[in-house]
């Protein structure tokens, strides 16, 4: 059982398909590991073993994932499984439906074994809530695992599952991946269909895969993607599977890069050191590196406006109900109230700014001939778990909890797929990732370029780990 948790998802699926291991054995291995480590890190906060074992009885070895156990972020509904959204308002909610990303995973042979922790409604880059408490970083349990897909990142890093789902508005897949030493892909809008009746044409928030390796993440994307009529912006799956494209894409030849997105955000010296080492690795691979980037000068303001608009859309009914409002955390209330103060002119200007940024990134990654754009994922290494958010870097103070996320939220605005890949460690042994950004609808090629970098740095064999440190 110990050996099974150390398999990559791709290797585990191969064993499942060959019949050398059964879905029941994989489930048993996962729950043995959960019992061994999750009391320390608090990642797999809701478990559905009976449901998983029932699914294992009929697992299809010929399906894409062949009965592989996976974790599902607790913002995504699974029929018959408690779904809290990290909020005391929904602490006892059990949906009777499954959202599309999880349904696609199940249809492709995945077996959900539990729900992973998230901040309330995904609001926050530190994974804690009033229902389940803090999820801790396994590399040092006194540190944050980031958010909002922190539970999924920690479950992967500690070997509780082989793949896990996430979602990403302003970095919720990518920042936890960086903090926990795993891979997190923010696909382009519409690549992974989802139910979003309040904003079905919205393109800021997306669902996506997380894995221990780039190829594992590509495999999971194959199991999540596809056209669904309930999502009006969803896209058909590509003719060639993402995993195949990932494996067959040649190394990148020309990459644009920026340490700080043109100076819009400060970067901790430890992150700078790992990023510069990553650039050296790319140079050793024969990549032509050019320091350039689109004009991100208005990205922080633009993202704040569009995020505020989204929070009004998604949560104004809770805010209007005094009983529910009393249970909302301050960050959610702040987002809603900020959104309610927006003017039509401010919203229109933000949309124009986003459109201009999109066109600049398209030009960079098509007309100018760059294979990818690279920047850090997070501007700091993992910080103390009890700290709500990063308020100061290099003497620069931030006045709200989303400002420090500009490195990822600015990339969200471009609409391009982006993946965080482990790049190195601080002197204290804390992971740091870098972010590869690809062209429109270019997830497979992006993953291929990231895989070549992953191979060059050689960090993917270090997982899973046992939780380290003390509180």
């Amino acid at each position: 059982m110990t050996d099974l948790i150390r398999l990559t998802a791709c290797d585990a699926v191969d064993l499942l398909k060959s019949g050398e291991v059964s879905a029941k054995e994989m489930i048993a291995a996962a729950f043995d590991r959960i019992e061994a480590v999750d009391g320390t890190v608090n990642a797999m906060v809701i478990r559905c073993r009976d449901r998983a074992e029932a699914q294992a009885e009929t697992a299809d070895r010929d399906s894409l994932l062949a009965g592989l156990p996976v974790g599902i972020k607790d913002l995504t509904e699974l029929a018959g499984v408690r779904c809290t959204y990290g909020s005391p308002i929904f602490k006892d909610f059990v949906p009777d439906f499954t959202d599309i990303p999880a349904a696609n995973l199940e249809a492709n042979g995945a077996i959900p074994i539990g729900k992973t922790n998230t901040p309330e409604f995904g609001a926050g880059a530190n994974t804690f809530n009033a229902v389940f408490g803090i999820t801790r970083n396994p590399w040092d349990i006194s540190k944050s695992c980031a958010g909002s897909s922190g539970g999924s990142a920690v479950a992967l890093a500690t070997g509780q599952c082989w793949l896990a789902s996430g979602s990403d508005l302003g970095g919720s897949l990518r920042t936890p991946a960086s903090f926990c030493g795993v891979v997190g892909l923010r696909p382009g809008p519409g690549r992974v269909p989802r139910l979003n009746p309040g904003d079905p044409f919205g393109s800021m928030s997306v669902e996506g895969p997380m894995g221990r390796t780039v190829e594992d993440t590509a495999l999971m994307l194959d199991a999540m993607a596809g056209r669904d009529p309930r999502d009006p912006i969803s896209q058909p799956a590509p003719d060639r599977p993402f995993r195949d494209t990932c494996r067959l894409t040649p190394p990148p030849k020309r990459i644009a890069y920026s340490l700080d997105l043109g100076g819009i955000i400060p970067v901790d010296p430890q992150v700078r050191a790992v990023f510069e080492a990553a650039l050296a690795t790319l140079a050793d691979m024969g990549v032509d590196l050019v320091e350039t980037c689109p004009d991100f000068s208005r990205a922080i303001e633009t993202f704040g406006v569009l995020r505020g608009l989204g929070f009004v859309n998604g949560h104004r009914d809770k805010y209007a109900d005094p009983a529910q409002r009393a249970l909302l955390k301050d960050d959610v209330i702040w987002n809603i109230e900020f959104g309610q103060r927006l003017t039509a002119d401010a919203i229109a200007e933000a949309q124009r700014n986003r459109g201009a940024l999109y066109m600049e990134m398209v030009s960079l990654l098509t007309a100018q001939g760059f294979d990818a754009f690279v920047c850090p994922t997070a501007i700091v290494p993992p910080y103390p778990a009890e700290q709500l958010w990063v308020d100061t870097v290099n003497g620069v103070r931030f006045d709200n909890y989303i400002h420090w996320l500009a490195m990822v939220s600015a990339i969200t605005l471009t609409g391009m797929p982006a993946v965080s890949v482990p790049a190195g460690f601080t002197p204290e042994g804390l992971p740091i990732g870098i972010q590869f950004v690809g062209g429109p609808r270019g997830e497979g090629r992006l993953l291929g370029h990231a895989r070549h970098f992953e191979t060059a740095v050689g960090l993917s064999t270090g997982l899973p780990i046992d939780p380290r440190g003390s509180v």
Side-chain angles (χ1 to χ4, degrees):
M1 293 298 184
T2 301
D3 291 338
L4 291 179
I5 67 163
R6 302 193 179 283
L7 294 170
T8 67
C10 292
D11 287 345
V13 166
D14 287 345
L15 291 180
L16 285 163
K17 286 180 176 291
S18 70
E20 294 178 60
V21 67
S22 70
K24 282 190 173 182
E25 289 174 311
M26 296 294 287
I27 290 168
F31 277 99
D32 282 352
R33 185 63 174 172
I34 290 168
E35 291 300 322
V37 301
D38 202 54
T40 301
V41 293
N42 192 39
M44 195 74 70
V45 291
I46 298 169
R47 301 164 195 178
C48 50
R49 184 165 190 166
D50 289 347
R51 184 181 188 274
E53 289 179 341
Q55 286 182 308
E57 294 286 351
T58 57
D60 181 3
R61 281 169 38 188
D62 293 327
S63 62
L64 184 63
L65 296 181
L68 184 72
V70 301
I72 301 294
K73 184 177 179 180
D74 195 27
L75 295 183
T76 298
E77 297 86 357
L78 276 175
V81 179
R82 185 178 170 209
C83 184
T84 74
Y85 311 103
S87 172
I89 296 172
F90 293 95
K91 63 184 179 66
D92 299 315
F93 174 57
V94 178
D96 59 1
F97 65 97
T98 297
D99 198 359
I100 302 171
N104 283 357
L105 284 167
E106 290 185 311
N108 281 298
I111 299 180
I113 57 172
K115 307 292 288 297
T116 59
N117 206 21
T118 178
E120 185 174 28
F121 302 118
N126 191 358
T127 298
F128 69 92
N129 58 59
V131 183
F132 298 114
I134 297 172
T135 298
R136 296 186 174 276
N137 192 316
W139 296 90
D140 179 346
I141 61 171
S142 72
K143 303 298 185 184
S144 167
C145 63
S148 63
S149 305
S152 287
V154 173
L156 287 167
T158 54
Q160 300 182 44
C161 54
W162 292 262
L163 298 171
S165 73
S167 59
D168 190 301
L169 171 58
S172 287
L173 271 158
R174 293 163 284 163
T175 313
S178 178
F179 272 33
C180 295
V182 300
V183 179
L185 171 71
R186 176 192 164 90
R191 179 58 77 191
V192 175
R194 79 279 191 255
L195 295 172
N196 187 14
D199 188 18
F201 294 93
S203 60
M204 291 279 283
S205 182
V206 302
E207 306 284 329
M210 303 182 77
R212 295 183 207 151
T213 72
V214 173
E215 189 177 348
D216 285 357
T217 307
L219 173 66
M220 189 175 185
L221 182 60
D222 280 319
M224 299 178 80
R227 178 83 177 95
D228 190 294
R230 293 169 292 178
D231 182 345
I233 68 168
S234 64
Q235 306 161 24
D239 293 336
R240 174 189 285 171
F242 294 108
R243 184 184 176 190
D244 289 353
T245 301
C246 173
R247 291 175 60 87
L248 296 171
T249 295
K253 294 181 179 179
R254 192 163 183 255
I255 284 180
Y257 74 91
S258 176
L259 171 71
D260 54 12
L261 301 186
I264 71 166
I265 192 77
V267 176
D268 183 275
Q270 294 182 90
V271 173
R272 175 192 287 268
V274 172
F275 184 67
E276 289 175 347
L279 293 178
T281 297
L282 288 166
D284 289 344
M285 293 165 55
V287 177
D288 177 24
L289 296 168
V290 179
E291 186 174 9
T292 185
C293 68
D295 179 6
F296 287 106
S297 60
R298 301 196 66 183
I300 293 172
E301 172 191 354
T302 297
F303 180 79
V305 169
L306 296 178
R307 178 186 176 91
L309 179 65
F311 264 80
V312 173
N313 188 324
H315 302 292
R316 61 180 175 175
D317 292 343
K318 305 178 192 71
Y319 181 84
D321 180 336
Q324 293 193 7
R325 180 178 174 180
L327 296 174
L328 292 173
K329 73 173 183 178
D330 291 344
D331 288 340
V332 174
I333 292 173
W334 174 78
N335 274 289
I336 296 169
E337 291 179 342
F338 175 84
Q340 289 177 329
R341 293 193 298 270
L342 293 171
T343 65
D345 281 346
I347 295 168
E349 184 68 14
Q351 290 174 332
R352 287 186 178 186
N353 292 341
R354 188 185 184 197
L357 186 55
Y358 170 81
M359 293 306 298
E360 285 196 44
M361 189 61 93
V362 167
S363 174
L364 188 76
L365 296 172
T366 55
Q368 296 179 51
F370 289 102
D371 292 310
F373 173 73
V374 171
C375 61
T377 304
I379 65 172
V380 293
Y383 56 87
E386 286 75 17
Q387 183 178 332
L388 298 183
W389 44 277
V390 176
D391 58 5
T392 307
V393 175
N394 297 353
V396 177
R397 290 194 61 83
F398 306 139
D399 60 4
N400 62 69
Y401 83 95
I402 59 174
H403 191 163
W404 77 276
L405 297 169
M407 194 69 76
V408 275
S409 65
I411 299 302
T412 291
L413 294 173
T414 70
M416 304 298 160
V419 61
S420 180
V421 184
F425 295 90
T426 68
E428 295 76 27
L430 297 174
I432 290 175
I434 68 167
Q435 193 174 191
F436 284 75
V437 183
R441 296 183 176 87
E443 288 87 356
R445 191 163 175 262
L446 168 68
L447 289 164
H449 292 147
R451 179 173 174 265
H452 285 290
F453 173 78
E454 174 188 66
T455 300
V457 295
L459 299 179
S460 62
T461 59
L463 296 176
I465 63 167
D466 295 328
R468 303 171 180 177
S470 60
V471 178

